[in-house]
């Protein structure tokens, strides 16, 4: 509930990193299939996607704290 006294910390839009999870899985699977290691490619792509999503989350938290 937002009232005038309880304003959100920042009015700036938030970033989302979920697209990196999807593209990590997709690209990792394609590269894995090309190298005849589909499972390893998918897992490594998921790991890279998770890392990028976490970096976006950390960057967005710092950006939101600066915008207060």
């Amino acid at each position: 509930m937002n009232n005038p006294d309880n304003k959100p910390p920042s009015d700036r839009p938030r970033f989302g990193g979920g697209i990196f999870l999807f593209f990590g899985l997709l690209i990792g699977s394609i590269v894995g299939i090309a190298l005849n290691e589909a499972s390893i490619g998918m897992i490594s792509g998921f790991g890279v996607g998770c890392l990028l999503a976490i970096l976006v989350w950390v960057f967005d938290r710092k950006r939101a704290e600066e915008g207060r």
Side-chain angles (χ1 to χ4, degrees):
M1 181 190 311
N2 283 338
N3 57 27
D5 298 330
N6 188 14
K7 190 176 178 190
S10 176
D11 291 336
R12 300 165 100 182
R14 304 298 303 253
F15 291 144
I19 191 74
F20 295 117
L21 296 174
F22 170 73
F23 280 131
L25 284 170
L26 182 67
I27 293 170
S29 296
I30 291 170
V31 170
I33 289 170
L35 298 174
N36 291 327
E37 295 290 342
S39 296
I40 293 173
M42 187 173 67
I43 291 170
S44 61
F46 183 70
V48 170
C50 282
L51 179 66
L52 290 173
I54 290 170
L55 288 174
V56 167
W57 175 65
V58 168
F59 173 75
D60 189 47
R61 282 185 56 106
K62 287 184 180 182
R63 186 178 71 100
E65 288 174 1
E66 291 172 358
R68 282 189 191 192

